[in-house]
Amino acid sequence: MNNPKYIGRRIIAGFIDYTIIIFLTFLYLKYFGEINEEGAYSVSGLKTLPIIIFWLIYFCGFETILSSTLGNLIVGLKPVNINTEKNITIKESFLRHLVDPIDMCCFGIIGIILIKNSETNQRLGDILAKTKVIKN
């Protein structure tokens, strides 16, 4: 079975998406955070809510409404339901990204290994959400 894995495109898309997330989080921390004991900016309590909301809007909202994040749009990929190949739901998107810290661990090596060794080219988040990534 010849299923394209789009590893290079997925790496570029992930880099774009997480660059956006990290940059905007950095800006938020700089302007709304306080300097902690280590000399870094941090937020706590309700001030963390905007970061979580932005993450939800960026990943879950974009994937549900636009069918892709900006990174995936740029490289021409989109996540779909593995069984129907229809656009994913907000629940599927949430599940896909819930385990991003594991998939992205060690510069994405875990996600890449899973994609390369999965018959359906799924990383851990895709397996959990029952989704896969296809060319748009």
Side-chain angles (χ1 to χ4, degrees):
M1 177 180 259
N2 185 13
N3 289 329
K5 298 186 185 299
Y6 308 116
I7 299 274
R9 287 179 188 224
R10 290 180 80 167
I11 290 170
I12 293 168
F15 181 78
I16 291 168
D17 290 335
Y18 276 95
T19 297
I20 291 168
I21 292 287
I22 290 168
F23 178 73
L24 291 174
T25 300
F26 171 79
L27 285 178
Y28 178 79
L29 289 172
K30 181 160 176 40
Y31 290 105
F32 297 100
E34 298 173 6
I35 296 180
N36 61 25
E37 293 143 7
E38 289 113 25
Y41 289 96
S42 65
V43 293
S44 61
L46 286 177
K47 283 188 173 182
T48 59
L49 199 54
I51 296 170
I52 296 165
I53 290 169
F54 178 71
W55 178 88
L56 283 167
I57 290 169
Y58 185 81
F59 285 111
C60 302
F62 281 21
E63 284 185 345
T64 303
I65 296 166
L66 302 175
S67 302
S68 290
T69 59
L70 294 178
N72 277 335
L73 279 172
I74 290 168
V75 300
L77 297 175
K78 74 175 188 173
V80 294
N81 179 286
I82 196 161
N83 297 315
T84 64
E85 292 203 6
K86 291 184 179 180
N87 292 342
I88 63 173
T89 65
I90 197 160
K91 178 183 175 187
E92 290 167 328
S93 181
F94 180 78
L95 289 172
R96 283 187 84 234
H97 294 288
L98 187 62
V99 292
D100 275 1
I102 297 169
D103 275 331
M104 302 301 173
C105 186
C106 303
F107 302 100
I109 297 298
I110 292 173
I112 292 168
I113 290 170
L114 286 170
I115 292 166
K116 286 179 99 47
N117 293 298
S118 165
E119 188 176 310
T120 49
N121 315 319
Q122 295 171 288
R123 59 183 182 82
L124 185 58
D126 290 316
I127 294 167
L128 180 64
K130 295 178 178 65
T131 59
K132 65 179 181 178
V133 173
I134 62 170
K135 196 169 181 182
N136 194 4

Short mmCIF file of all heavy atoms in Angstrom, two decimals, residues 5-48:
data_model
loop_
_atom_site.label_atom_id
_atom_site.label_comp_id
_atom_site.label_asym_id
_atom_site.label_seq_id
_atom_site.Cartn_x
_atom_site.Cartn_y
_atom_site.Cartn_z
N LYS A 5 3.41 10.03 2.94
CA LYS A 5 3.48 10.43 4.34
C LYS A 5 3.62 11.94 4.50
O LYS A 5 3.33 12.48 5.54
CB LYS A 5 4.62 9.71 5.02
CG LYS A 5 4.40 8.19 5.00
CD LYS A 5 5.45 7.47 5.79
CE LYS A 5 5.31 5.97 5.68
NZ LYS A 5 4.08 5.39 6.14
N TYR A 6 4.09 12.64 3.48
CA TYR A 6 4.24 14.09 3.51
C TYR A 6 5.04 14.57 4.72
O TYR A 6 4.75 15.61 5.30
CB TYR A 6 2.88 14.79 3.50
CG TYR A 6 1.95 14.36 2.39
CD1 TYR A 6 0.76 13.72 2.68
CD2 TYR A 6 2.28 14.57 1.05
CE1 TYR A 6 -0.10 13.32 1.66
CE2 TYR A 6 1.43 14.16 0.03
CZ TYR A 6 0.25 13.55 0.34
OH TYR A 6 -0.59 13.15 -0.66
N ILE A 7 6.07 13.81 5.10
CA ILE A 7 6.86 14.15 6.29
C ILE A 7 7.43 15.56 6.19
O ILE A 7 7.30 16.35 7.13
CB ILE A 7 8.00 13.13 6.51
CG1 ILE A 7 7.46 11.74 6.71
CG2 ILE A 7 8.91 13.56 7.66
CD1 ILE A 7 7.07 11.36 8.09
N GLY A 8 8.07 15.89 5.08
CA GLY A 8 8.67 17.22 4.92
C GLY A 8 7.64 18.33 5.05
O GLY A 8 7.85 19.33 5.74
N ARG A 9 6.52 18.15 4.39
CA ARG A 9 5.45 19.15 4.47
C ARG A 9 4.91 19.27 5.89
O ARG A 9 4.61 20.36 6.36
CB ARG A 9 4.30 18.80 3.53
CG ARG A 9 4.61 18.99 2.08
CD ARG A 9 3.40 18.59 1.26
NE ARG A 9 3.72 18.58 -0.15
CZ ARG A 9 2.95 19.10 -1.08
NH1 ARG A 9 1.79 19.63 -0.76
NH2 ARG A 9 3.30 19.06 -2.34
N ARG A 10 4.78 18.15 6.56
CA ARG A 10 4.24 18.17 7.92
C ARG A 10 5.21 18.85 8.88
O ARG A 10 4.80 19.57 9.80
CB ARG A 10 3.89 16.75 8.38
CG ARG A 10 2.68 16.22 7.61
CD ARG A 10 2.31 14.83 8.01
NE ARG A 10 1.54 14.87 9.26
CZ ARG A 10 0.87 13.84 9.74
NH1 ARG A 10 0.83 12.69 9.08
NH2 ARG A 10 0.21 13.93 10.87
N ILE A 11 6.50 18.65 8.67
CA ILE A 11 7.51 19.31 9.50
C ILE A 11 7.45 20.82 9.29
O ILE A 11 7.45 21.60 10.25
CB ILE A 11 8.92 18.76 9.20
CG1 ILE A 11 9.04 17.32 9.72
CG2 ILE A 11 10.00 19.65 9.82
CD1 ILE A 11 10.30 16.59 9.28
N ILE A 12 7.38 21.25 8.04
CA ILE A 12 7.30 22.68 7.73
C ILE A 12 6.03 23.28 8.32
O ILE A 12 6.06 24.35 8.95
CB ILE A 12 7.37 22.92 6.21
CG1 ILE A 12 8.76 22.54 5.70
CG2 ILE A 12 7.05 24.37 5.86
CD1 ILE A 12 8.87 22.45 4.19
N ALA A 13 4.89 22.59 8.16
CA ALA A 13 3.62 23.08 8.70
C ALA A 13 3.70 23.22 10.23
O ALA A 13 3.27 24.23 10.79
CB ALA A 13 2.48 22.15 8.31
N GLY A 14 4.23 22.20 10.89
CA GLY A 14 4.38 22.26 12.35
C GLY A 14 5.29 23.39 12.78
O GLY A 14 5.02 24.09 13.76
N PHE A 15 6.37 23.60 12.04
CA PHE A 15 7.30 24.69 12.34
C PHE A 15 6.58 26.04 12.22
O PHE A 15 6.70 26.89 13.10
CB PHE A 15 8.51 24.63 11.40
CG PHE A 15 9.51 25.71 11.67
CD1 PHE A 15 10.39 25.62 12.73
CD2 PHE A 15 9.56 26.83 10.86
CE1 PHE A 15 11.31 26.62 12.99
CE2 PHE A 15 10.47 27.85 11.11
CZ PHE A 15 11.34 27.75 12.18
N ILE A 16 5.82 26.22 11.15
CA ILE A 16 5.08 27.47 10.95
C ILE A 16 4.07 27.67 12.08
O ILE A 16 4.02 28.74 12.71
CB ILE A 16 4.36 27.48 9.58
CG1 ILE A 16 5.39 27.56 8.45
CG2 ILE A 16 3.36 28.64 9.49
CD1 ILE A 16 4.82 27.27 7.07
N ASP A 17 3.28 26.65 12.35
CA ASP A 17 2.23 26.76 13.37
C ASP A 17 2.81 27.05 14.75
O ASP A 17 2.33 27.95 15.46
CB ASP A 17 1.38 25.50 13.42
CG ASP A 17 0.50 25.33 12.19
OD1 ASP A 17 0.17 26.35 11.54
OD2 ASP A 17 0.15 24.18 11.87
N TYR A 18 3.84 26.33 15.14
CA TYR A 18 4.38 26.53 16.48
C TYR A 18 5.23 27.78 16.58
O TYR A 18 5.37 28.36 17.66
CB TYR A 18 5.07 25.27 17.00
CG TYR A 18 4.02 24.38 17.60
CD1 TYR A 18 3.42 23.37 16.87
CD2 TYR A 18 3.54 24.63 18.88
CE1 TYR A 18 2.40 22.61 17.40
CE2 TYR A 18 2.52 23.87 19.42
CZ TYR A 18 1.96 22.87 18.68
OH TYR A 18 0.93 22.13 19.22
N THR A 19 5.78 28.27 15.47
CA THR A 19 6.46 29.56 15.48
C THR A 19 5.45 30.65 15.79
O THR A 19 5.71 31.55 16.59
CB THR A 19 7.16 29.83 14.13
OG1 THR A 19 8.17 28.83 13.93
CG2 THR A 19 7.79 31.21 14.10
N ILE A 20 4.28 30.58 15.16
CA ILE A 20 3.21 31.55 15.42
C ILE A 20 2.77 31.48 16.88
O ILE A 20 2.68 32.51 17.56
CB ILE A 20 2.02 31.32 14.46
CG1 ILE A 20 2.42 31.66 13.03
CG2 ILE A 20 0.79 32.12 14.91
CD1 ILE A 20 1.44 31.20 11.97
N ILE A 21 2.50 30.28 17.36
CA ILE A 21 2.05 30.10 18.75
C ILE A 21 3.11 30.62 19.73
O ILE A 21 2.79 31.37 20.67
CB ILE A 21 1.75 28.61 19.04
CG1 ILE A 21 0.53 28.13 18.26
CG2 ILE A 21 1.59 28.34 20.54
CD1 ILE A 21 -0.80 28.62 18.76
N ILE A 22 4.35 30.24 19.55
CA ILE A 22 5.42 30.63 20.48
C ILE A 22 5.65 32.14 20.43
O ILE A 22 5.80 32.79 21.47
CB ILE A 22 6.71 29.84 20.19
CG1 ILE A 22 6.50 28.38 20.59
CG2 ILE A 22 7.90 30.45 20.92
CD1 ILE A 22 7.57 27.43 20.09
N PHE A 23 5.66 32.71 19.23
CA PHE A 23 5.87 34.16 19.09
C PHE A 23 4.77 34.95 19.79
O PHE A 23 5.05 35.87 20.55
CB PHE A 23 5.96 34.54 17.60
CG PHE A 23 6.14 36.01 17.38
CD1 PHE A 23 7.35 36.63 17.66
CD2 PHE A 23 5.08 36.78 16.92
CE1 PHE A 23 7.51 38.00 17.47
CE2 PHE A 23 5.23 38.14 16.72
CZ PHE A 23 6.44 38.77 16.99
N LEU A 24 3.53 34.59 19.55
CA LEU A 24 2.43 35.32 20.17
C LEU A 24 2.38 35.10 21.69
O LEU A 24 2.05 36.02 22.44
CB LEU A 24 1.10 34.95 19.52
CG LEU A 24 0.97 35.48 18.08
CD1 LEU A 24 -0.30 34.96 17.43
CD2 LEU A 24 1.02 36.99 18.03
N THR A 25 2.73 33.90 22.12
CA THR A 25 2.81 33.64 23.57
C THR A 25 3.91 34.48 24.20
O THR A 25 3.73 35.07 25.27
CB THR A 25 3.05 32.14 23.85
OG1 THR A 25 1.96 31.39 23.30
CG2 THR A 25 3.17 31.86 25.34
N PHE A 26 5.06 34.57 23.51
CA PHE A 26 6.17 35.39 23.99
C PHE A 26 5.73 36.85 24.14
O PHE A 26 5.99 37.50 25.16
CB PHE A 26 7.36 35.28 23.05
CG PHE A 26 8.45 36.25 23.35
CD1 PHE A 26 9.34 36.03 24.39
CD2 PHE A 26 8.59 37.41 22.60
CE1 PHE A 26 10.34 36.95 24.68
CE2 PHE A 26 9.58 38.33 22.88
CZ PHE A 26 10.46 38.10 23.91
N LEU A 27 5.06 37.37 23.09
CA LEU A 27 4.59 38.76 23.16
C LEU A 27 3.61 38.96 24.32
O LEU A 27 3.70 39.96 25.05
CB LEU A 27 3.91 39.16 21.85
CG LEU A 27 4.82 39.44 20.66
CD1 LEU A 27 3.99 39.77 19.43
CD2 LEU A 27 5.80 40.56 20.97
N TYR A 28 2.69 38.02 24.48
CA TYR A 28 1.72 38.12 25.57
C TYR A 28 2.45 38.13 26.93
O TYR A 28 2.15 38.96 27.79
CB TYR A 28 0.72 36.96 25.51
CG TYR A 28 -0.27 36.99 26.64
CD1 TYR A 28 -1.36 37.86 26.62
CD2 TYR A 28 -0.11 36.16 27.75
CE1 TYR A 28 -2.25 37.91 27.67
CE2 TYR A 28 -1.00 36.20 28.80
CZ TYR A 28 -2.07 37.07 28.76
OH TYR A 28 -2.95 37.12 29.81
N LEU A 29 3.40 37.22 27.09
CA LEU A 29 4.14 37.16 28.35
C LEU A 29 4.92 38.44 28.61
O LEU A 29 4.98 38.93 29.73
CB LEU A 29 5.08 35.96 28.36
CG LEU A 29 4.43 34.59 28.45
CD1 LEU A 29 5.46 33.49 28.25
CD2 LEU A 29 3.70 34.41 29.77
N LYS A 30 5.52 38.98 27.57
CA LYS A 30 6.31 40.20 27.71
C LYS A 30 5.45 41.38 28.15
O LYS A 30 5.86 42.18 28.99
CB LYS A 30 7.02 40.54 26.41
CG LYS A 30 7.89 41.77 26.49
CD LYS A 30 8.90 41.80 25.40
CE LYS A 30 9.75 43.04 25.34
NZ LYS A 30 10.20 43.62 26.54
N TYR A 31 4.25 41.49 27.57
CA TYR A 31 3.41 42.66 27.87
C TYR A 31 2.46 42.47 29.06
O TYR A 31 2.04 43.44 29.67
CB TYR A 31 2.64 43.09 26.63
CG TYR A 31 3.57 43.69 25.60
CD1 TYR A 31 3.94 42.97 24.47
CD2 TYR A 31 4.13 44.95 25.80
CE1 TYR A 31 4.83 43.51 23.56
CE2 TYR A 31 5.01 45.49 24.89
CZ TYR A 31 5.36 44.77 23.76
OH TYR A 31 6.25 45.31 22.86
N PHE A 32 2.12 41.23 29.37
CA PHE A 32 1.16 40.99 30.45
C PHE A 32 1.75 40.17 31.60
O PHE A 32 1.10 40.01 32.63
CB PHE A 32 -0.10 40.31 29.92
CG PHE A 32 -0.85 41.16 28.94
CD1 PHE A 32 -0.71 40.94 27.57
CD2 PHE A 32 -1.66 42.20 29.37
CE1 PHE A 32 -1.38 41.73 26.66
CE2 PHE A 32 -2.34 43.00 28.46
CZ PHE A 32 -2.19 42.76 27.09
N GLY A 33 2.94 39.65 31.41
CA GLY A 33 3.57 38.83 32.45
C GLY A 33 4.35 39.66 33.44
O GLY A 33 4.53 40.87 33.29
N GLU A 34 4.80 38.97 34.45
CA GLU A 34 5.64 39.59 35.48
C GLU A 34 6.95 38.81 35.54
O GLU A 34 6.98 37.62 35.27
CB GLU A 34 4.93 39.53 36.83
CG GLU A 34 3.62 40.29 36.85
CD GLU A 34 2.83 40.09 38.13
OE1 GLU A 34 3.36 39.44 39.07
OE2 GLU A 34 1.69 40.55 38.19
N ILE A 35 8.00 39.51 35.90
CA ILE A 35 9.30 38.84 35.99
C ILE A 35 9.32 37.97 37.24
O ILE A 35 9.00 38.43 38.33
CB ILE A 35 10.45 39.87 36.00
CG1 ILE A 35 10.46 40.62 34.68
CG2 ILE A 35 11.78 39.18 36.25
CD1 ILE A 35 11.54 41.67 34.54
N ASN A 36 9.69 36.68 37.04
CA ASN A 36 9.72 35.75 38.17
C ASN A 36 11.11 35.70 38.79
O ASN A 36 12.00 36.47 38.41
CB ASN A 36 9.22 34.36 37.74
CG ASN A 36 10.08 33.75 36.66
OD1 ASN A 36 11.26 34.07 36.50
ND2 ASN A 36 9.49 32.85 35.89
N GLU A 37 11.32 34.77 39.73
CA GLU A 37 12.59 34.66 40.45
C GLU A 37 13.77 34.34 39.55
O GLU A 37 14.91 34.69 39.85
CB GLU A 37 12.47 33.59 41.54
CG GLU A 37 11.52 33.97 42.64
CD GLU A 37 10.73 32.78 43.15
OE1 GLU A 37 11.00 31.63 42.75
OE2 GLU A 37 9.82 33.01 43.93
N GLU A 38 13.51 33.67 38.42
CA GLU A 38 14.59 33.33 37.49
C GLU A 38 14.86 34.44 36.47
O GLU A 38 15.70 34.30 35.61
CB GLU A 38 14.26 32.03 36.74
CG GLU A 38 14.33 30.80 37.63
CD GLU A 38 12.96 30.19 37.82
OE1 GLU A 38 12.08 30.39 36.97
OE2 GLU A 38 12.77 29.51 38.85
N GLY A 39 14.09 35.52 36.56
CA GLY A 39 14.28 36.63 35.64
C GLY A 39 13.52 36.49 34.33
O GLY A 39 13.74 37.26 33.40
N ALA A 40 12.65 35.51 34.24
CA ALA A 40 11.84 35.31 33.03
C ALA A 40 10.44 35.84 33.28
O ALA A 40 9.98 35.95 34.41
CB ALA A 40 11.80 33.83 32.69
N TYR A 41 9.74 36.15 32.20
CA TYR A 41 8.36 36.59 32.29
C TYR A 41 7.46 35.38 32.47
O TYR A 41 7.66 34.35 31.83
CB TYR A 41 7.94 37.36 31.04
CG TYR A 41 8.57 38.72 30.94
CD1 TYR A 41 9.71 38.91 30.18
CD2 TYR A 41 8.03 39.82 31.60
CE1 TYR A 41 10.30 40.16 30.07
CE2 TYR A 41 8.60 41.07 31.50
CZ TYR A 41 9.74 41.24 30.74
OH TYR A 41 10.31 42.47 30.64
N SER A 42 6.45 35.53 33.32
CA SER A 42 5.49 34.45 33.51
C SER A 42 4.13 35.03 33.90
O SER A 42 4.04 36.18 34.32
CB SER A 42 5.97 33.47 34.58
OG SER A 42 6.03 34.11 35.84
N VAL A 43 3.11 34.21 33.69
CA VAL A 43 1.76 34.56 34.11
C VAL A 43 1.21 33.39 34.91
O VAL A 43 1.68 32.26 34.78
CB VAL A 43 0.82 34.87 32.92
CG1 VAL A 43 1.23 36.12 32.20
CG2 VAL A 43 0.73 33.71 31.97
N SER A 44 0.22 33.68 35.74
CA SER A 44 -0.42 32.62 36.50
C SER A 44 -1.89 32.97 36.69
O SER A 44 -2.31 34.09 36.41
CB SER A 44 0.27 32.43 37.85
OG SER A 44 0.18 33.62 38.61
N GLY A 45 -2.63 32.00 37.12
CA GLY A 45 -4.05 32.21 37.37
C GLY A 45 -4.81 32.54 36.10
O GLY A 45 -4.57 31.96 35.04
N LEU A 46 -5.72 33.50 36.20
CA LEU A 46 -6.57 33.87 35.07
C LEU A 46 -5.77 34.45 33.90
O LEU A 46 -6.25 34.42 32.77
CB LEU A 46 -7.65 34.86 35.51
CG LEU A 46 -8.79 34.26 36.33
CD1 LEU A 46 -9.75 35.36 36.77
CD2 LEU A 46 -9.52 33.19 35.56
N LYS A 47 -4.58 34.96 34.18
CA LYS A 47 -3.77 35.51 33.09
C LYS A 47 -3.29 34.43 32.11
O LYS A 47 -2.83 34.75 31.03
CB LYS A 47 -2.56 36.27 33.65
CG LYS A 47 -2.89 37.63 34.19
CD LYS A 47 -1.61 38.36 34.54
CE LYS A 47 -1.88 39.78 34.94
NZ LYS A 47 -0.62 40.49 35.21
N THR A 48 -3.39 33.17 32.49
CA THR A 48 -3.00 32.10 31.56
C THR A 48 -4.13 31.79 30.57
O THR A 48 -3.89 31.20 29.52
CB THR A 48 -2.64 30.80 32.31
OG1 THR A 48 -3.76 30.37 33.07
CG2 THR A 48 -1.44 30.98 33.19
#
